[in-house]
Amino acid sequence: MYGKLQGFKRHYNHCVVHHDSVSLFQWASEQRKNHTFRDCDGVCTKLTARQITLLDEIGFRWNVPNKREQRWFSMYNQLVDYKIVTGHCNLHNKKPNMKKLGCWVKKTKNFV
């Protein structure tokens, strides 16, 4: 699954996995849970130091993103996929299947 996470990172340029990728999302959640198990000296007991280092090196988020961050990353992922298919990020709200993404892009541009 680490390889899948690397592929996700290469594709989306972040490691915030969403419910869309069920098995990867579950695996990432398990890594976070395992990371919390510590012995009396504060040493992680369920993940090796090497596993933690590998996840840290690719930017794995040990804390769970809040709902707002999850939604933002989900929309961002859709935009990345759209750009891969079309070669641009110029969305037109008139297309029914792109209306939600188009509105998000417009709001995001206005926010920045």
Side-chain angles (χ1 to χ4, degrees), residues 47-63:
L47 293 174
T48 66
R50 178 75 178 136
Q51 289 170 319
I52 293 168
T53 299
L54 286 170
L55 290 167
D56 283 341
E57 285 175 352
I58 63 169
F60 184 74
R61 297 257 321 250
W62 293 107
N63 60 329

Side-chain angles (χ1 to χ4, degrees), residues 68 105-112:
R68 188 176 188 170
V105 168
K106 185 176 179 179
K107 279 200 267 187
T108 303
K109 281 182 180 179
N110 290 336
F111 184 73
V112 178

Side-chain angles (χ1 to χ4, degrees), residues 15-34:
C15 292
V16 181
V17 182
H18 297 95
H19 300 296
D20 304 346
S21 308
V22 177
S23 61
L24 188 56
F25 176 80
Q26 289 172 339
W27 180 83
S29 297
E30 189 69 20
Q31 303 318 298
R32 285 187 190 97
K33 186 173 92 176
N34 288 341

Side-chain angles (χ1 to χ4, degrees), residues 26-91:
Q26 289 172 339
W27 180 83
S29 297
E30 189 69 20
Q31 303 318 298
R32 285 187 190 97
K33 186 173 92 176
N34 288 341
H35 190 251
T36 63
F37 287 98
R38 306 279 172 167
D39 65 15
C40 59
D41 295 323
V43 176
C44 184
T45 58
K46 295 231 176 181
L47 293 174
T48 66
R50 178 75 178 136
Q51 289 170 319
I52 293 168
T53 299
L54 286 170
L55 290 167
D56 283 341
E57 285 175 352
I58 63 169
F60 184 74
R61 297 257 321 250
W62 293 107
N63 60 329
V64 179
N66 64 37
K67 296 283 185 200
R68 188 176 188 170
E69 284 180 304
Q70 288 178 13
R71 175 162 166 62
W72 190 93
F73 279 106
S74 178
M75 297 305 288
Y76 174 79
N77 291 353
Q78 289 178 42
L79 183 61
V80 168
D81 291 340
Y82 181 85
K83 183 175 183 194
I84 289 169
V85 170
T86 65
H88 62 80
C89 294
N90 301 322
L91 287 115

